[in-house]
Amino acid sequence: MTQYEDKVQAQREKLEQEKLDNQVTSIDCRYKNGKWTKMITCYGNGKQVTEYNDKRKKDKIEWL
């Protein structure tokens, strides 16, 4: 079973990096007249997701 140790270790490192990438670093919520209008969520890998309360606008995903 020692032949698979390198593959198992590589998979563990990949999963650990994925866990860090999906970690939320900041959330910015904008309010207007007591209701939220826009929420920006930033992740560890540089992904930024902008969600709008107005359903006519689509959510935006950006890579910084």
Side-chain angles (χ1 to χ4, degrees):
M1 295 309 272
T2 59
Q3 62 185 354
Y4 298 111
E5 286 180 10
D6 293 335
K7 291 181 181 179
V8 170
Q9 184 62 27
Q11 182 66 22
R12 282 186 185 146
E13 291 174 3
K14 181 180 174 185
L15 289 173
E16 186 65 31
Q17 183 62 37
E18 186 176 311
K19 181 179 174 183
L20 291 174
D21 288 346
N22 290 333
Q23 188 174 17
V24 175
T25 57
S26 67
I27 297 175
D28 179 23
C29 192
R30 311 262 170 104
Y31 288 92
K32 187 174 186 179
N33 296 330
K35 291 186 176 183
W36 71 276
T37 57
K38 179 168 44 170
M39 184 167 31
I40 302 170
T41 307
C42 297
Y43 294 93
N45 60 355
K47 182 170 80 169
Q48 183 176 356
V49 178
T50 304
E51 299 177 46
Y52 298 98
N53 194 19
D54 187 2
K55 294 302 174 189
R56 294 174 288 181
K57 291 184 178 181
K58 295 188 84 165
D59 295 346
K60 186 175 10 173
I61 299 174
E62 298 174 325
W63 294 90
L64 304 175

